[in-house]
Amino acid sequence: MKRREFIKLLGGTTTFTLAYGYGLFPLPGGCGKAEALKIGEENISLRPPEEKWIPSVCRQCQGGCGILVRTVGGRAVKIDGNPLHPINRGKLCARGQSGLQLLYDPDRIQGPLARKGERGEDRWKAISWEDALSTLEEKLKTLRSKKQPESLVMLSGSRQGLAGTATSRFMEAYGSPNLITFQPDRSRGLIPAIELMQGSQAGITYDIEDANYILSFNSGLLEDHWSPVQLSRAYGKFRRGRKEFRGKLVQVETRLSVTGAKSDQWVPVNPGTEGVLAMGIASVLIIEKRYDEQFLREKTFGFEDWTDSQGTLHPGFKTLVIQEYPLEQVEKTTGVSRDTIIRIAREFANLGPALAIGNDSSWVGNPGIYNRMAIHALNALVGNFQKDGGIRSNARPPDLSFGPYTRDAVAKQGLSKQLIDGTGRGRYSLAGDIPENIPDRVLEHHPYPLEVLLLHHADALYYSTEPKRLQAALKQIPFIASFSSYMDDTTRYADLILPDSVYLEKWDLDTTYTLKGNPVVSLSRPVLPPVYDTRDTVEVLAEVSNKLGGSLTRAFPAPRSEEIIQTSVKKLHRSGHGEPFGAPLEELWTKLLEQSGWKIRNKETFDTFWSTLQERGGWWDPVYYPYEWRRVFSTPSGRFEFFSLTVKQYLEGLRSMEKDLALEAMPQTANMKHADAGTLPHGDAGKTEGNKSLYNFEIHPYVIPILSSLHHTNQPWLQDITGFHIYQSWHTWVEINPEAAHELGIESGEWVTVESPRGKIRARARLYEGVMPHVVNLPVGLGHETGGRWTAGIGENVLRLLHTQREPVTGKIRFVRSRARLIREQA
């Protein structure tokens, strides 16, 4: 066909279509336009379906970005950032865009299920919500009638949002102390090591955008931050927001990560020795007197030698660093040259405000509590607290609690019992939750039997340090119910599943923080009714509570999530502080009024306030008061503690432990005698083959950035970009130094077996220059046994290779340095 003929044909077709649509030509059967508009008793409109943009909150990670969801004809078709939300200001990452795949996931649990086979067989039958709720109510009522409420345990993925408040209230009213959080809420900045140095109220954040120098120790700053979009915005300002100065980033890490690639300098360091390097930098600052003397004198404790009330002399941090960390030994241990250590220390002191940031992940990649304390001590040496570009203590959050109620006698009795994971007393008195202790406690029936286990978005089996023992424990628990929206490795051991609606289908209210420390309350409302036969877990718990009787009938202020949220929001309205989200000019006006002592909403009605919150997506307080030092340092001394008095008191309470308290109360486990042997499990280095170590590589695990913090990974858009830096996806890979691979005869793309003393996996070899010669990098986030067609059986679970170790202070179990060997598969 010639071009001229094609244009004529196209024009004729268009003209006919328009004429046909306006009724100029009759429809088949003699129907014109008027007849077509009425078929039976229904009028059919030719107008396009209704389009809406509904504010909500992304729940693909803990960042809490505001979103606008476009719906057309009652179907969600697009997600964009909310330009008024102070966390992301209209920006959104790939995980946020992928929320539609979460919503319409065909492999979601589509209604209540009851087990009909053996546990773990994945055989289910569909049941009604009435039957599911009756079964749960019967089990809980029986347990409470026997006055054994403490035998109910709930394992929760996190305590964020309305669900976090609701699960806490339900367990408290029921009478069980055993609400155990599997993954901590990183958005609040409550980091165990920093709590020991700044106090239990010290939720911190880093003012990235106004810093001049950032020294990042394996932090995953640009790929595994709890609020990636907010961090990216701040990082852009840190780099290019000031015409007169460009911020400098130095990344200390074993692997050339995204953060390392974006940094001004990548400093390769031997795995697990980041704390040793921090102490080496501290020794340069101290010896050359490049520290803030006034801050150390007025705001810190334990820097100089000190004498306690018993007359005992304790060496201070200054003495410890000079004596234990000579640069020659630091260089040998870390692999970082002496000249590099000196240069970094001088830059850190001279280019301030400077930040030292460590890895705050709760499990993989975390170097340990003492190493993390060593890194944080650098910030105190230069006095960079409560300043622009420094460490900021989060402002006090607004009160969004459900309000008071009276516990009954059964609840009081149960809450007085010891926690089933052993925390809160004795050896674990400084620990938060230790879910890793549960398998042994269940199998030993100590301190009491676990009768009912509730799972709330907690895939404990996937992340377990002892998966076989956890499997055995799960099979012994009489009754397990899960509120998961998706089938995961742990939920398939449940007896009953009451699927939760996803975040786009329900109301929610959550508090998070800006990187300046300002509190942000985000309001999420459903953008459409549930796609499947699911229910909001908050409303399920409220209904169950009402039917159980006793103090539980008064535990929830209302039966529906929207009504519960309104009772909390009324407290915000009465406070008169802060404002609904708005443009930057509104923020300036609010700051001016609040700092002048005015209340913003003296005459505004609650109905107006509530309507504005729904329209804009939430509330925040842009006013920040930096010098509330008692909030910043809530330690026993009221100061930043190089020597932790909390740890000292803890050790004094353990009479059986005969250790030097001065060394245990400071970040000393990062010293030389522990750096090589203490953090490397016994047995790894001892297995040899001739004169050559059998396991001749150290494993460096890292979280796949795009899958970080996800409750569910059955999202093909995200699976397709897991290993974007090496063009690998849909299976586990192992990153190998090219020279090391050449010695073993391994080519890029070949299949290899990665074997450690604990197990082995199959992975695709990828040669990568950003790997140290004696290290292999392995991605964490793949290898789920179930969950859907785009996650089940995709890749391997790298955690099965790693050794574990119990923290000496908190008692938590973490993955530690482990060794492996590579075996090339024969073609």
Side-chain angles (χ1 to χ4, degrees):
M1 182 179 292
K2 295 182 179 179
R3 179 172 175 269
R4 184 184 298 274
E5 293 174 348
F6 175 76
I7 293 174
K8 288 181 179 180
L9 178 62
L10 182 64
T13 304
T14 303
T15 303
F16 176 81
T17 302
L18 290 171
Y20 187 85
Y22 281 97
L24 301 179
F25 294 103
L27 293 170
C31 294
K33 181 179 178 183
E35 289 79 5
L37 290 178
K38 188 173 184 180
I39 300 177
E41 297 180 355
E42 296 183 3
N43 289 327
I44 301 177
S45 173
L46 294 179
R47 284 176 290 187
E50 183 181 12
E51 178 180 341
K52 295 180 181 178
W53 286 91
I54 303 174
S56 190
V57 181
C58 179
R59 283 298 187 199
Q60 291 276 61
C61 74
Q62 296 183 354
C65 290
I67 56 176
L68 295 175
V69 183
R70 182 185 178 217
T71 63
V72 178
R75 183 176 179 85
V77 298
K78 184 68 170 70
I79 301 177
D80 281 328
N82 182 351
L84 299 180
H85 202 290
I87 294 292
N88 57 316
R89 292 294 185 191
K91 310 301 181 183
L92 202 61
C93 71
R95 276 177 289 187
Q97 298 284 354
S98 185
L100 293 178
Q101 292 197 327
L102 189 78
L103 175 65
Y104 293 114
D105 184 352
D107 298 323
R108 273 175 60 188
I109 300 174
Q110 299 183 11
L113 299 175
R115 176 174 60 86
K116 67 176 184 179
E118 296 296 322
R119 279 189 178 160
E121 287 186 354
D122 225 6
R123 295 172 56 205
W124 307 91
K125 64 177 180 180
I127 61 175
S128 67
W129 271 101
E130 291 74 15
D131 290 342
L133 291 172
S134 296
T135 302
L136 181 61
E137 290 161 14
E138 179 185 352
K139 296 293 183 182
L140 295 177
K141 190 172 290 186
T142 300
L143 193 60
R144 213 162 189 270
S145 66
K146 295 190 294 185
K147 297 184 179 180
Q148 297 175 353
E150 68 277 4
S151 293
L152 169 67
V153 175
M154 177 179 282
L155 197 59
S156 178
S158 74
R159 297 192 191 179
Q160 274 193 301
L162 186 64
T165 308
T167 52
S168 297
R169 173 55 65 88
F170 175 79
M171 294 295 284
E172 180 184 341
Y174 187 84
S176 173
N178 294 309
L179 174 57
I180 298 173
T181 305
F182 181 68
Q183 291 180 327
D185 180 2
R186 293 168 61 193
S187 69
R188 301 185 186 278
L190 295 171
I191 304 158
I194 293 174
E195 288 185 49
L196 295 179
M197 305 180 90
Q198 287 191 230
S200 59
Q201 300 177 24
I204 69 161
T205 188
Y206 301 98
D207 186 7
I208 300 291
E209 65 181 74
D210 288 323
N212 289 341
Y213 189 90
I214 296 177
L215 180 58
S216 168
F217 291 84
N218 190 26
S219 71
L221 192 65
L222 298 179
E223 64 263 29
D224 188 31
H225 192 266
W226 64 266
S227 185
V229 177
Q230 184 179 194
L231 191 283
S232 296
R233 292 177 55 241
Y235 179 74
K237 294 178 181 178
F238 164 75
R239 285 298 209 183
R240 305 185 67 175
R242 296 161 292 185
K243 294 181 179 180
E244 70 280 1
F245 190 84
R246 182 179 190 269
K248 182 171 184 179
L249 171 63
V250 176
Q251 177 74 356
V252 176
E253 189 177 4
T254 301
R255 169 179 176 266
L256 181 60
S257 61
V258 173
T259 307
K262 293 286 187 180
S263 67
D264 295 279
Q265 183 183 8
W266 170 48
V267 181
V269 63
N270 290 329
T273 63
E274 294 90 349
V276 177
L277 179 60
M279 296 296 261
I281 294 171
S283 72
V284 176
L285 295 176
I286 291 172
I287 291 172
E288 296 186 357
K289 295 186 176 180
R290 296 176 181 270
Y291 49 80
D292 188 330
E293 293 188 39
Q294 182 179 358
F295 180 84
L296 293 176
R297 181 176 61 255
E298 297 178 357
K299 299 295 182 185
T300 70
F301 172 80
F303 179 71
E304 302 284 355
D305 298 350
W306 61 284
T307 304
D308 62 21
S309 59
Q310 306 298 321
T312 304
L313 178 65
H314 297 272
F317 182 79
K318 178 180 178 180
T319 300
L320 169 70
V321 168
I322 294 174
Q323 291 181 352
E324 297 286 341
Y325 294 89
L327 290 189
E328 294 77 11
Q329 190 61 38
V330 172
E331 177 179 5
K332 179 181 177 182
T333 302
T334 63
V336 181
S337 71
R338 185 175 187 272
D339 290 343
T340 299
I341 296 171
I342 294 174
R343 178 182 54 77
I344 291 175
R346 290 173 178 173
E347 288 178 349
F348 191 78
N350 296 335
L351 299 181
L355 289 169
I357 304 176
N359 186 325
D360 296 328
S361 171
S362 59
W363 44 284
V364 66
N366 192 325
I369 195 166
Y370 283 117
N371 285 346
R372 187 64 184 85
M373 289 172 71
I375 294 167
H376 193 51
L378 295 176
N379 295 304
L381 287 176
V382 296
N384 196 17
F385 286 85
Q386 301 304 105
K387 301 176 181 178
D388 289 340
I391 304 288
R392 288 199 168 206
S393 182
N394 290 328
R396 289 186 178 87
D399 179 15
L400 300 177
S401 62
F402 288 176
Y405 77 105
T406 303
R407 303 172 189 160
D408 60 22
V410 177
K412 292 178 181 178
Q413 174 189 331
L415 293 172
S416 67
K417 298 297 180 68
Q418 179 185 351
L419 275 70
I420 200 166
D421 64 351
T423 58
R425 62 178 69 185
R427 181 68 182 82
Y428 307 122
S429 60
L430 288 183
D433 298 332
I434 310 182
E436 299 87 358
N437 284 354
I438 291 180
D440 289 341
R441 298 295 179 114
V442 170
L443 295 173
E444 297 168 5
H445 300 285
H446 178 75
Y448 39 76
L450 195 166
E451 299 290 342
V452 177
L453 174 65
L454 303 180
L455 300 170
H456 182 251
H457 295 289
D459 192 5
L461 196 55
Y462 177 81
Y463 295 103
S464 175
T465 56
E466 295 291 342
K468 292 183 178 179
R469 282 191 71 76
L470 180 54
Q471 286 177 342
L474 290 173
K475 291 178 179 180
Q476 284 199 13
I477 299 172
F479 182 76
I480 302 175
S482 174
F483 297 101
S484 177
S485 306
Y486 328 92
M487 190 63 66
D488 56 49
D489 295 358
T490 312
T491 292
R492 67 177 183 166
Y493 282 85
D495 301 288
L496 179 69
I497 302 177
L498 302 93
D500 189 13
S501 298
V502 300
Y503 65 91
L504 294 174
E505 301 171 328
K506 61 184 180 180
W507 289 88
D508 202 358
L509 189 71
D510 184 40
T511 301
T512 186
Y513 290 91
T514 69
L515 296 183
K516 295 280 191 178
N518 305 90
V520 177
V521 177
S522 300
L523 176 65
S524 177
R525 56 187 175 126
V527 300
L528 74 174
V531 175
Y532 303 114
D533 187 19
T534 61
R535 291 190 184 180
D536 182 357
T537 296
V538 173
E539 296 182 357
V540 170
L541 293 177
E543 182 176 343
V544 170
S545 296
N546 189 53
K547 292 182 178 180
L548 288 177
S551 62
L552 279 90
T553 59
R554 302 178 298 276
F556 287 78
R560 296 287 174 258
S561 294
E562 180 182 4
E563 298 166 351
I564 295 173
I565 288 173
Q566 285 186 15
T567 62
S568 298
V569 169
K570 285 178 180 177
K571 299 179 182 179
L572 272 183
H573 177 256
R574 287 194 296 267
S575 73
H577 295 295
E579 63 174 3
F581 299 156
L585 283 178
E586 296 180 61
E587 170 190 337
L588 293 174
W589 179 244
T590 300
K591 285 182 177 180
L592 177 63
L593 290 176
E594 275 201 32
Q595 290 172 344
S596 301
W598 290 86
K599 285 195 172 184
I600 309 302
R601 290 180 300 279
N602 278 335
K603 298 182 179 180
E604 182 184 44
T605 66
F606 173 75
D607 289 341
T608 301
F609 179 63
W610 173 246
S611 178
T612 305
L613 285 188
Q614 293 186 73
E615 178 185 338
R616 300 189 178 189
W619 168 100
W620 77 309
D621 192 349
V623 179
Y624 181 82
Y625 299 97
Y627 301 120
E628 298 174 340
W629 290 108
R630 191 58 203 174
R631 170 175 58 85
V632 178
F633 301 136
S634 57
T635 56
S637 66
R639 297 173 171 228
F640 180 96
E641 293 185 352
F642 288 100
F643 185 105
S644 175
L645 294 177
T646 302
V647 177
K648 179 178 182 294
Q649 294 167 4
Y650 159 72
L651 292 175
E652 287 175 344
L654 300 177
R655 302 300 182 187
S656 60
M657 296 185 67
E658 298 179 1
K659 293 186 177 181
D660 187 332
L661 298 181
L663 294 181
E664 286 296 324
M666 288 194 290
Q668 61 83 34
T669 298
N671 66 19
M672 303 308 148
K673 62 183 179 182
H674 293 283
D676 293 319
T679 58
L680 194 63
H682 295 296
D684 264 18
K687 295 185 178 182
T688 58
E689 186 178 35
N691 293 326
K692 187 177 180 181
S693 173
L694 179 60
Y695 301 101
N696 50 350
F697 290 96
E698 283 206 49
I699 299 174
H700 177 68
Y702 67 95
V703 178
I704 297 175
I706 202 65
L707 302 183
S708 174
S709 300
L710 283 178
H711 286 303
H712 188 58
T713 59
N714 197 49
Q715 302 174 48
W717 287 351
L718 303 185
Q719 289 282 1
D720 212 34
I721 53 175
T722 49
F724 61 89
H725 61 296
I726 51 172
Y727 306 102
Q728 175 69 52
S729 58
W730 297 101
H731 204 284
T732 297
W733 62 91
V734 54
E735 298 171 5
I736 314 169
N737 181 277
E739 294 183 6
H742 179 73
E743 292 180 4
L744 296 174
I746 297 174
E747 299 291 336
S748 187
E750 290 186 333
W751 288 103
V752 297
T753 298
V754 184
E755 181 182 356
S756 81
R758 292 203 66 177
K760 59 184 178 181
I761 64 170
R762 189 168 181 257
R764 183 82 72 176
R766 289 299 177 189
L767 276 55
Y768 184 47
E769 296 285 352
V771 186
M772 300 179 73
H774 60 287
V775 177
V776 290
N777 300 331
L778 286 167
V780 176
L782 302 174
H784 294 271
E785 296 182 8
T786 187
R789 68 198 73 181
W790 297 296
T791 191
I794 304 295
E796 306 267 5
N797 190 347
V798 170
L799 301 178
R800 299 296 176 257
L801 301 178
L802 305 180
H803 284 271
T804 61
Q805 190 177 68
R806 195 175 288 277
E807 281 279 0
V809 174
T810 65
K812 288 181 175 291
I813 299 176
R814 64 183 180 91
F815 295 103
V816 294
R817 291 171 61 186
S818 306
R819 302 191 70 88
R821 63 174 176 169
L822 301 179
I823 303 173
R824 180 170 174 261
E825 293 188 7
Q826 300 298 321

